[in-house]
Amino acid sequence: MAASGSLWLLAVALLPWSCAAVALGHLDAPAPLPLVIWHGMGVFGLPRCPGESSHICDFIRKTLNAGAYSKAVQERLVQAEYWHDPIKEDVYRNHSIFLADINQERGVNESYKKNLMALKKFVMVKFLNDSIVDPVDSEWFGFYRSGQAKETIPLQETTLYTQDRLGLKEMDKAGQLVFLATEGDHLQLSEEWFNANIIPFIE
């Protein structure tokens, strides 16, 4: 269980749409943001599914894919808005109502890029034993290499970065990107870790 001092972080992590929307200009922010914690490139797996090579996991993925991109599911199930199929990238780009848009995968919205780059720091936290986000590298904006669901690549090798569609490459060079990691499962961290690693960015 996360400590009470971590509630601010948990609120941000549990409401990634709001954070992204504020950063990219969908909502008005009350003040310039120093910090965003965001599930970056999406998810393509079932929570606590037993292993990347499991045939059961692959079957469940295929089953979820059958409905994940339908209009009704996209509009009613927030988890579906983060479903990113690396095997059928064209289906994902054409039918994802949120993630494909906000990650600039259908085109470049310059206002998204400008607003994200205005952040003082963009802090990403990876929970090393996360059993909810699959692949866990998505928490650092990495994802599966396109066309398969076994090998992951880091942010720096993604098209989002190499083409600098969101400004992350320029932010990285300017020292605005911060990659943090902590042991533990999804959103499980200590008050000590929170105070030592997060508080300095928001003071």
Side-chain angles (χ1 to χ4, degrees), residues 66-185:
Y69 294 121
S70 71
K71 188 173 186 292
V73 173
Q74 283 281 309
E75 291 178 348
R76 291 173 174 80
L77 187 63
V78 68
Q79 290 86 349
E81 295 182 14
Y82 289 90
W83 191 255
H84 181 172
D85 186 343
I87 299 170
K88 298 178 180 178
E89 293 278 4
D90 56 336
V91 176
Y92 156 71
R93 283 192 296 269
N94 290 331
H95 298 285
S96 169
I97 66 172
F98 170 67
L99 195 68
D101 171 64
I102 210 164
N103 279 347
Q104 306 274 53
E105 294 176 273
R106 281 197 287 263
V108 175
N109 183 322
E110 291 296 336
S111 67
Y112 287 7
K113 185 173 181 178
K114 177 183 176 182
N115 291 336
L116 189 65
M117 292 177 67
L119 293 172
K120 295 178 181 178
K121 293 288 183 180
F122 183 7
V123 180
M124 292 160 275
V125 179
K126 180 191 290 188
F127 294 86
L128 297 176
N129 299 307
D130 202 317
S131 61
I132 301 298
V133 176
D134 184 15
V136 69
D137 288 340
S138 177
E139 295 173 342
W140 277 1
F141 264 76
F143 201 62
Y144 292 112
R145 189 180 296 280
S146 185
Q148 49 83 57
K150 303 295 181 184
E151 178 191 2
T152 60
I153 57 175
L155 165 64
Q156 290 78 6
E157 293 182 27
T158 65
T159 301
L160 181 70
Y161 185 93
T162 58
Q163 295 183 1
D164 210 15
R165 301 175 72 84
L166 260 179
L168 295 177
K169 183 176 182 179
E170 189 172 339
M171 292 175 74
D172 194 15
K173 291 181 177 179
Q176 290 170 267
L177 300 187
V178 180
F179 300 87
L180 301 179
T182 181
E183 299 290 342
D185 203 343

Side-chain angles (χ1 to χ4, degrees), residues 21-51:
V22 169
L24 298 183
H26 286 188
L27 300 174
D28 291 329
L33 293 172
L35 173 67
V36 171
I37 297 172
W38 197 359
H39 291 171
M41 295 300 287
V43 296
F44 186 62
L46 184 74
R48 305 186 188 281
C49 200

